[in-house]
Amino acid sequence: MASRSPDAEVADPVNYYLEDMEMHGRAERTRDAYERVLRGFAEFLESRSTDPGSAGHRDCLAWLHSLRSELSPSTVATYATTVNRFYDYMNRVGAFEENPMALVMEEMDESIEKDPERRDVDVATMGEFLGRISHPLHHAIVLTLLKTGMRVGELCNLDYRDLRLAEPGLEGYDLDGRPQLDGRGDAIYVDSAPARGEEYNGEVREESNKRKRSTVIPVDDELRRGLRRWLAIRPDSPSPAEPLFLSTAGDWGERLTARAVRHYVRNYAEEMGWYEPGAGAGENVTPHYFRHFFTTHLRDRTGDRGVVKYLRGDVASDVIDTYTHNWGDQVRETYVANIYRFD
């Protein structure tokens, strides 16, 4: 977000942030949700005789700890993300000098990524699973999730302008619509902007992209072949956004939904004995499991946690700037040299 220049001292940082959100076009209900969290955070800090501009990471930790008795872990994580975005923005406009939530978020990410209780599937066995999927659409969506680590909602929000494939044979598609992909080779752009209920690229979206920053993810030759196979049979769409993935079922030609993706994955996982009704995330293979698989295997292969966090869209602004400015050397080359293959 660009911003007006702040005063030397911002009297009400929360109000300042919310005003900028409004000028940037964020929906009223989104602003209301942010305000509830940020006002609650500010009130907690006041009880500790401090304020958002002076708080340290221990104040942030204490606030999160106070929430855990009343809120679910996922809601606590959402609140933490809201405050982290607030601090990151206020830093960038020069209103604050530090982000005390950044260290807290890094520790939370570490805890989530380790996730030692999930089913352990090696690359060869996952390749056998993928090999059972013959439908071009189903194969392409599972392969994309496995090779990129994106969330199912982010996959469903992709438009074909978000895909850059230089290989001949796709002349029927305009795959040069994203300037963010210029000079990046074959790649996918995952924007952080799409939000549920809001119009994006001419279409109101049913899913939100939850990544902290927009990300460019390389496409290797295996994923390229899977995507080309799907594009060869992709039906026309009535949407002006031209979704990348479309339904081939009863709602033919409509944007693929997260519900449909979960249904497809569940059916294939059941065939492998990887899904049991009532079992938890530690046993069942779902679209989100593929994000865990991507994180675990690519991190182990590269030894570069920063690149993996960039690709997941989880990194803070200072780290993402490093990888964005040196994308070819630190992201694409690392990815292509280490990404697992199933063929």
Side-chain angles (χ1 to χ4, degrees):
M1 293 181 179
S3 172
R4 55 195 168 93
S5 297
D7 298 329
E9 185 173 327
V10 177
D12 186 346
V14 172
N15 190 58
Y16 180 94
Y17 178 60
L18 294 171
E19 286 180 354
D20 274 18
M21 289 183 70
E22 181 178 7
M23 287 190 286
H24 285 298
R26 300 302 294 271
E28 182 178 0
R29 64 182 179 182
T30 300
R31 300 196 309 272
D32 288 345
Y34 273 57
E35 182 169 20
R36 285 194 299 272
V37 174
L38 294 174
R39 292 297 182 195
F41 175 63
E43 289 176 5
F44 176 84
L45 294 178
E46 185 176 1
S47 72
R48 292 171 64 89
S49 302
T50 187
D51 57 65
S54 304
H57 80 278
R58 291 183 67 85
D59 295 306
C60 295
L61 278 171
W63 172 65
L64 292 176
H65 179 71
S66 74
L67 300 176
R68 292 192 175 104
S69 63
E70 300 179 0
L71 302 176
S72 68
S74 62
T75 301
V76 172
T78 298
Y79 279 28
T81 298
T82 297
V83 171
N84 186 57
R85 287 175 175 170
F86 162 71
Y87 271 114
D88 181 64
Y89 184 78
M90 298 302 283
N91 284 352
R92 284 187 285 149
V93 300
F96 290 169
E97 294 182 358
E98 297 180 359
N99 178 359
M101 184 59 79
L103 178 61
V104 179
M105 293 299 295
E106 288 180 8
E107 293 301 319
M108 290 179 71
D109 286 344
E110 292 288 325
S111 175
I112 292 170
E113 286 181 12
K114 288 178 181 178
D115 207 0
E117 297 180 358
R118 284 190 179 271
R119 177 187 293 272
D120 184 17
V121 179
D122 60 34
V123 172
T125 305
M126 187 61 76
E128 294 176 10
F129 168 76
L130 188 65
R132 292 169 173 250
I133 305 175
S134 59
H135 192 293
L137 170 61
H138 302 173
H139 185 274
I141 61 178
V142 172
L143 184 60
T144 300
L145 291 170
L146 283 166
K147 287 275 192 170
T148 66
M150 69 177 69
R151 299 174 178 87
V152 63
E154 295 167 343
L155 175 129
C156 293
N157 272 329
L158 289 174
D159 300 328
Y160 74 57
R161 69 171 184 163
D162 298 320
L163 174 65
R164 175 69 59 85
L165 294 182
E167 186 170 322
L170 296 172
E171 289 80 3
Y173 293 93
D174 178 12
L175 298 177
D176 294 312
R178 276 286 189 187
Q180 295 93 335
L181 295 174
D182 291 347
R184 302 295 179 88
D186 291 352
I188 296 173
Y189 181 77
V190 187
D191 199 344
S192 63
R196 184 177 184 180
E198 297 184 10
E199 184 173 312
Y200 175 82
N201 196 22
E203 180 187 341
V204 176
R205 301 305 171 108
E206 295 184 7
E207 302 289 339
S208 296
N209 285 8
K210 298 180 180 180
R211 60 186 51 220
K212 297 176 184 177
R213 294 291 183 273
S214 302
T215 311
V216 177
I217 305 177
V219 171
D220 73 344
D221 58 347
E222 184 180 23
L223 180 54
R224 182 190 303 116
R225 288 194 299 272
L227 291 170
R228 290 184 71 248
R229 184 173 171 229
W230 156 242
L231 290 172
I233 67 163
R234 175 185 174 274
D236 292 332
S237 171
S239 170
E242 291 289 358
L244 178 59
F245 294 111
L246 303 170
S247 174
T248 57
D251 51 348
W252 178 271
E254 298 291 336
R255 182 181 295 276
L256 195 65
T257 66
R259 181 179 181 181
V261 174
R262 294 186 183 103
H263 176 71
Y264 299 150
V265 172
R266 174 174 175 169
N267 286 343
Y268 292 114
E270 285 178 340
E271 292 178 5
M272 288 286 289
W274 289 355
Y275 193 101
E276 291 289 340
E283 290 297 321
N284 285 343
V285 169
T286 64
H288 190 71
Y289 177 85
F290 300 141
R291 182 169 169 84
H292 161 77
F293 182 93
F294 172 87
T295 301
T296 301
H297 287 278
L298 191 58
R299 184 183 60 205
D300 289 348
R301 286 165 173 255
T302 64
D304 190 331
R305 188 178 294 273
V307 166
V308 176
K309 288 172 73 65
Y310 165 80
L311 293 167
R312 284 170 50 98
D314 287 346
V315 298
S317 59
D318 56 341
V319 179
I320 202 168
D321 286 344
T322 298
Y323 291 109
T324 299
H325 295 155
N326 196 12
W327 193 88
D329 292 338
Q330 292 189 261
V331 179
R332 185 174 191 88
E333 290 183 10
T334 300
Y335 177 92
V336 172
N338 293 280
I339 189 63
Y340 39 81
R341 302 182 63 90
F342 303 111
D343 55 5

